[in-house]
């Protein structure tokens, strides 16, 4: 069951050592996928981990690439994405306006960690060619 909004005492700027730590804290439940939530209720959290070429984090908004269409061995986009799976979570968030917790992978002295960027709202979804030439879903999120 998704939890929308802040979790416990965690606030923007907090850094957790690993994806597993995010999961154990209840901040981002799935220990491996970048979108947490359900198709019925929407996304409650996402992780920007530099896995998709079309992700873009800016000061006033961010673009989060949908999931799917990547070769699991190379990580490269090899086919068009579909409006299915976790992409449905983000589309539902667009419809409901529920807040989405955003985490971003950052470099630290010991390797990588995950910083809580805060609560965002999905404001748009477009289906257009990505950098690899295949159609990808791009979700625009703005800070709340």
């Amino acid at each position: 069951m998704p939890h929308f909004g802040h979790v416990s005492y965690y606030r923007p700027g907090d850094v957790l050592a690993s994806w597993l730590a995010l999961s154990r804290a209840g901040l981002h439940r799935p220990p491996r996928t970048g979108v947490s939530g359900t198709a019925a209720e929407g996304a409650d959290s996402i992780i920007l981990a530099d896995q998709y070429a079309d992700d873009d984090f800016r000061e006033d908004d961010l673009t989060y690439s949908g999931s799917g269409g990547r070769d699991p061995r190379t990580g490269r986009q090899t086919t068009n994405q579909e409006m299915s799976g976790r992409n449905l979570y983000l589309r539902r968030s667009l419809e409901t306006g529920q807040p989405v917790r955003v985490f971003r992978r950052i470099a630290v002295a010991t390797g990588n960690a995950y910083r809580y960027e805060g609560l965002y709202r999905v404001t748009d979804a477009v289906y257009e060619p990505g950098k690899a030439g295949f159609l990808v879903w791009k979700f625009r999120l703005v800070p709340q």
Side-chain angles (χ1 to χ4, degrees), residues 46 48 54-65 100 102-104 117-126 128 138-144:
I46 62 172
L48 289 159
D54 295 292
D55 286 351
D56 189 16
F57 190 87
R58 297 171 298 274
E59 188 172 322
D60 296 330
D61 67 349
L62 67 91
T63 299
Y64 189 81
S65 300
V100 178
V102 172
F103 298 91
R104 187 173 183 198
E117 298 296 336
L119 297 176
Y120 282 65
R121 195 171 33 87
V122 180
T123 61
D124 196 16
V126 296
E128 63 185 19
K138 296 179 184 178
F139 298 92
R140 180 176 183 256
L141 290 87
V142 296
Q144 281 200 294

Side-chain angles (χ1 to χ4, degrees), residues 32 44 52 54 58 75-76 89 108 115 118 122 127 134:
R32 288 194 162 297
D44 60 354
Y52 285 87
D54 295 292
R58 297 171 298 274
R76 292 187 178 155
Y89 302 6
V108 295
R115 182 176 57 221
V122 180
Y127 192 52
F134 297 98

Side-chain angles (χ1 to χ4, degrees), residues 16 22 42 51 54 56 61 75 83 100-101 111 116 124 126 137:
L16 282 87
L22 290 174
Q51 298 296 311
D54 295 292
D56 189 16
D61 67 349
M83 183 48 75
V100 178
R101 288 182 304 282
Y116 182 22
D124 196 16
V126 296
W137 282 101

